[in-house]
Amino acid sequence: MKKRILVTGGAGFIGSHLCQRLLNDGHEVICLDNYFTGNKANVIHLLDNPYFELIRHDVTHPFFIEVDEIYNLACPASPVHYQYNPIKTIKTSVMGAINMLGLAKRIKAKILQASTSEVYGDPIVHPQPESYWGNVNPIGQRSCYDEGKRCAETLFMDYRLQNDVKIKIIRIFNTYGPKMNPNDGRVVSNFIVQALKGEDITIFGDGTQTRSFQYVDDLVEGMIRMMNSRDDFWGPVNIGNPKEFTMLQLAELVIRLTGSTSRIVHMPLPQDDPTQRQPVIDLARKELNGWEPTVELEQGLKLTVDYFKNLLQQS
């Protein structure tokens, strides 16, 4: 059945992949973005599709439309961008959630919140199940993002309880792939761009801190399965790759795949940077038809390296 679907932050890295997939699945897609971190180039190839619509709008302001489903992805997600204007970041998470939940309430649409593994902070429990409440500094440099997303989850749960809005909450763990912003400060894009340019690869800390990297196609599949899951399951649910890698392992793999001569250098660890990040995905496997990541890190990195090679050649 063809649905009308609103994607906020739809011109961003993840949002643009989601828009493409929803169109491929036969739906009508309205993409909303203010282009703070999103990029029109990510979706320009979709503009010829009669079932795709692109609207410039900031979710901190109300928006009115008739749709069947809403994917709320709008918010800068990398430290470089969300720390650039921390007040704007927390307004995007909180006011954006209020505006989109208000819209969902009025038009009786189902709405999915793209939350984050950052709600777990620098975790004391490892790996992280959804039942863990987290270890977050409420007044640190990362708080605008971490606490903004935590507050958005609260709003989603309260709109469900008070107004019977059909909600879904996913917690996204580190995701990478084509269309990442080369200047977003995320570790995968940083390492690949530095390696392709032959620059030093900068690792913050001693490199033993870990992350779990999922390829963007696996995330999009998880998002869609969550939106289509049974009505009495609203989450939150972890969507991430349970395979854990150290920063040193990632840097060495990127150097090998790019054939780079880059050296690895170490820099001081930023405030509140998590030392471990790994999801427990038992709930996703159980509730989302056996969902789990299928793209191995080396396979996904090759596709991402190819994307950045082409991008750097064009610039």
Side-chain angles (χ1 to χ4, degrees), residues 113 115-116 119-120 129-132 153 157 167-172 226 233-239 280 283-284 287-288:
Q113 168 67 3
S115 190
T116 171
V119 300
Y120 299 122
E130 291 85 354
S131 57
Y132 177 51
E153 287 194 14
M157 294 301 286
I167 68 158
K168 304 285 180 180
I169 302 171
I170 62 166
R171 291 176 177 164
I172 299 172
M226 182 57 174
F233 177 66
W234 43 81
V237 61
N238 290 336
I239 303 291
V280 175
L283 189 61
E287 296 290 349
L288 307 183

XYZ file of all heavy atoms in Angstrom, residues 113 115-116 119-120 129-132 153 157 167-172 226 233-239 280 283-284 287-288:
248
model
N 10.975 8.187 16.233
C 12.042 9.072 16.692
C 13.399 8.408 16.498
O 13.643 7.302 16.995
C 11.854 9.419 18.175
C 13.042 10.085 18.848
C 13.354 11.487 18.320
O 12.652 12.018 17.476
N 14.406 12.081 18.830
N 16.466 8.300 17.889
C 17.266 8.619 19.059
C 18.670 8.062 18.848
O 19.041 7.709 17.729
C 16.602 8.073 20.330
O 17.252 8.572 21.487
N 19.439 7.964 19.892
C 20.871 7.711 19.722
C 21.451 6.895 20.871
O 20.934 6.946 21.996
C 21.623 9.056 19.636
O 23.035 8.832 19.685
C 21.264 9.968 20.799
N 22.387 8.458 24.415
C 21.572 8.515 25.643
C 22.200 7.662 26.750
O 21.881 7.843 27.930
C 20.111 8.067 25.410
C 19.427 8.954 24.381
C 20.013 6.605 25.018
N 23.105 6.742 26.387
C 23.794 5.924 27.387
C 25.020 6.637 27.955
O 25.612 6.169 28.931
C 24.224 4.581 26.780
C 23.072 3.738 26.276
C 23.009 3.330 24.948
C 22.043 3.343 27.129
C 21.957 2.554 24.478
C 20.990 2.567 26.666
C 20.950 2.183 25.341
O 19.904 1.415 24.887
N 22.212 -2.624 27.016
C 20.839 -3.015 26.682
C 19.912 -1.807 26.819
O 20.276 -0.793 27.431
C 20.517 -4.060 27.763
C 21.298 -3.587 28.961
C 22.546 -2.917 28.417
N 18.714 -1.906 26.256
C 17.763 -0.799 26.322
C 17.336 -0.479 27.745
O 16.912 0.651 28.034
C 16.518 -1.119 25.484
C 16.752 -1.157 23.991
C 17.260 -2.500 23.479
O 17.550 -3.400 24.300
O 17.376 -2.643 22.250
N 17.469 -1.436 28.642
C 17.055 -1.224 30.035
C 18.047 -0.360 30.819
O 17.736 0.114 31.921
C 16.904 -2.575 30.747
O 18.121 -3.308 30.669
N 19.246 -0.128 30.264
C 20.256 0.689 30.952
C 19.907 2.168 30.805
O 19.660 2.653 29.708
C 21.644 0.393 30.356
C 22.751 1.233 30.929
C 22.927 1.339 32.317
C 23.628 1.925 30.110
C 23.942 2.114 32.848
C 24.653 2.693 30.629
C 24.799 2.784 32.006
O 25.800 3.561 32.539
N 12.987 11.474 23.854
C 12.412 10.161 24.184
C 11.306 10.304 25.230
O 10.248 9.673 25.134
C 13.499 9.205 24.691
C 14.438 8.698 23.617
C 15.260 7.502 24.089
O 14.918 6.897 25.135
O 16.243 7.146 23.402
N 7.303 9.255 24.811
C 6.580 8.362 25.719
C 5.365 9.059 26.333
O 4.293 8.456 26.480
C 7.525 7.857 26.815
C 8.638 6.961 26.297
S 8.072 5.476 25.426
C 7.514 4.483 26.819
N 3.764 5.758 18.555
C 5.177 6.135 18.513
C 6.086 4.925 18.327
O 5.709 3.785 18.634
C 5.608 6.883 19.794
C 5.576 5.942 21.001
C 4.775 8.127 20.010
C 6.435 6.378 22.170
N 7.273 5.196 17.832
C 8.358 4.224 17.729
C 9.652 4.956 18.079
O 9.875 6.070 17.603
C 8.484 3.666 16.309
C 7.200 3.026 15.758
C 6.940 1.674 16.363
C 5.670 1.056 15.821
N 5.425 -0.283 16.415
N 10.499 4.348 18.911
C 11.786 4.957 19.276
C 12.909 3.974 18.973
O 12.892 2.837 19.460
C 11.839 5.342 20.772
C 10.719 6.321 21.142
C 13.203 5.944 21.111
C 10.595 6.573 22.637
N 13.873 4.422 18.166
C 15.075 3.614 17.938
C 16.282 4.372 18.474
O 16.296 5.602 18.488
C 15.284 3.278 16.457
C 15.482 4.550 15.623
C 14.136 2.444 15.912
C 16.011 4.282 14.231
N 17.255 3.633 18.943
C 18.523 4.224 19.391
C 19.607 3.799 18.412
O 19.986 2.627 18.353
C 18.849 3.780 20.818
C 17.894 4.390 21.843
C 18.136 3.877 23.244
N 17.251 4.543 24.199
C 17.010 4.098 25.432
N 17.605 2.982 25.864
N 16.202 4.760 26.233
N 20.089 4.773 17.642
C 21.035 4.502 16.562
C 22.460 4.501 17.108
O 22.890 5.459 17.759
C 20.901 5.562 15.454
C 19.480 5.543 14.860
C 21.942 5.346 14.360
C 19.207 6.695 13.905
N 11.097 -1.263 12.201
C 10.550 -0.723 13.437
C 9.239 0.014 13.177
O 8.264 -0.150 13.908
C 11.572 0.207 14.103
C 11.109 0.794 15.431
S 10.671 -0.478 16.650
C 10.377 0.532 18.095
N 4.344 -2.356 20.347
C 5.792 -2.301 20.591
C 6.300 -0.942 20.116
O 6.284 -0.641 18.927
C 6.528 -3.428 19.848
C 8.029 -3.355 20.008
C 8.620 -3.556 21.253
C 8.850 -3.050 18.931
C 10.002 -3.461 21.416
C 10.228 -2.956 19.073
C 10.792 -3.163 20.321
N 6.711 -0.116 21.045
C 7.171 1.230 20.690
C 8.642 1.459 21.011
O 9.197 2.486 20.699
C 6.318 2.297 21.392
C 6.036 1.980 22.831
C 6.860 2.178 23.892
C 4.851 1.379 23.357
N 6.267 1.739 25.054
C 5.018 1.249 24.750
C 3.655 0.950 22.782
C 4.040 0.691 25.577
C 2.692 0.387 23.603
C 2.883 0.266 24.983
N 9.277 0.485 21.638
C 10.697 0.624 21.957
C 10.902 1.255 23.322
O 10.009 1.212 24.167
N 12.063 1.878 23.532
C 13.152 2.050 22.559
C 13.859 0.742 22.223
O 13.860 -0.189 23.024
C 14.106 3.021 23.265
C 13.830 2.848 24.721
C 12.385 2.492 24.838
N 14.437 0.704 21.019
C 15.164 -0.484 20.579
C 16.503 -0.053 19.974
O 16.579 0.924 19.227
C 14.320 -1.310 19.573
C 13.993 -0.512 18.324
C 15.014 -2.614 19.204
N 17.560 -0.760 20.360
C 18.896 -0.497 19.814
C 18.980 -0.966 18.366
O 18.619 -2.111 18.058
C 19.969 -1.252 20.614
C 20.175 -0.718 22.013
O 19.878 0.440 22.287
N 20.707 -1.549 22.895
N 19.464 -0.078 17.491
C 19.759 -0.459 16.109
C 21.240 -0.175 15.886
O 21.655 0.974 15.734
C 18.897 0.330 15.094
C 17.406 0.140 15.382
C 19.244 -0.087 13.670
C 16.883 -1.256 15.116
N 23.439 -4.143 22.737
C 22.776 -5.442 22.830
C 21.593 -5.364 21.867
O 20.765 -4.455 21.980
C 22.283 -5.713 24.268
C 21.486 -7.012 24.311
C 23.451 -5.762 25.237
N 16.644 -7.461 21.521
C 15.275 -6.963 21.366
C 14.947 -6.729 19.888
O 13.854 -7.059 19.419
C 15.092 -5.672 22.164
C 13.660 -5.127 22.274
C 12.742 -6.119 22.968
C 13.648 -3.788 23.013
N 15.894 -6.165 19.145
C 15.678 -5.948 17.705
C 15.500 -7.284 16.984
O 14.608 -7.427 16.127
C 16.846 -5.170 17.104
N 11.864 -8.522 17.986
C 10.683 -7.743 17.594
C 10.679 -7.303 16.133
O 9.633 -6.956 15.595
C 10.559 -6.497 18.488
C 10.324 -6.806 19.959
C 8.940 -7.385 20.237
O 8.085 -7.353 19.322
O 8.717 -7.864 21.359
N 11.852 -7.307 15.478
C 11.939 -6.768 14.116
C 12.277 -7.872 13.114
O 13.130 -7.709 12.236
C 12.982 -5.642 14.058
C 12.819 -4.505 15.086
C 13.871 -3.436 14.877
C 11.412 -3.904 15.024
